Amino acid sequence: MKGYLTEVVDEDAHVLLRFFGWVSWYNRNRYCSCCGHVTQLVVNQSEKRCVSCGLSSYPSWSLAIMVLLKKGRQVLLARSSYFRAGMYSALAGFVDIGESAEDALCREVNEEVGL
């Protein structure tokens, strides 16, 4: 077992690291941090919800990316419906467990502007 992660090819290591991250989050949130009752995984969500008080728990992402896409002298800016008129921003988002910054950038650009 010594050095087993160093023997894994990059694609497999990515899957393993993502798996270990999710399992760790899942196991750390078995019980509600508010009332102590059991939590359940919400189907198709990154969420565990308390069966008693309804408190939701999510993985705590800490890494984020921000990107400004350029084409010549033009830049791509996004606009939220929450922004006041005339306000725009660069694209940004959180990096998921086991995801590279480059993969997060591609995913966020796709989610926010469809490119």
Side-chain angles (χ1 to χ4, degrees):
M1 283 301 251
K2 183 179 177 186
Y4 71 97
L5 279 179
T6 60
E7 303 296 321
V8 179
V9 295
D10 286 344
E11 296 81 20
D12 293 336
H14 172 77
V15 171
L16 282 173
L17 289 171
R18 194 170 174 98
F19 170 78
F20 287 132
W22 281 110
V23 168
S24 176
W25 169 77
Y26 183 88
N27 287 335
R28 282 192 324 266
N29 290 278
R30 289 183 184 185
Y31 302 98
C32 178
S33 62
C34 185
C35 71
H37 282 85
V38 174
T39 60
Q40 289 183 337
L41 190 63
V42 177
V43 177
N44 295 325
Q45 298 292 322
S46 299
E47 173 186 0
K48 290 189 85 176
R49 189 174 300 142
C50 177
V51 298
S52 179
C53 72
L55 179 73
S56 292
S57 298
Y58 303 92
S60 55
W61 315 126
S62 56
L63 300 176
I65 55 100
M66 186 169 211
V67 60
L68 185 60
L69 298 177
K70 293 173 54 174
K71 181 179 179 183
R73 293 178 47 87
Q74 297 177 321
V75 294
L76 177 64
L77 298 175
R79 175 158 171 57
S80 170
S81 60
Y82 299 107
F83 290 172
R84 68 177 189 262
M87 184 177 187
Y88 298 87
S89 73
L91 306 176
F94 291 101
V95 179
D96 284 341
I97 293 172
E99 184 177 43
S100 70
E102 293 83 0
D103 289 341
L105 181 145
C106 292
R107 179 182 48 75
E108 286 293 338
V109 169
N110 185 10
E111 287 177 3
E112 292 190 24
V113 294
L115 295 176

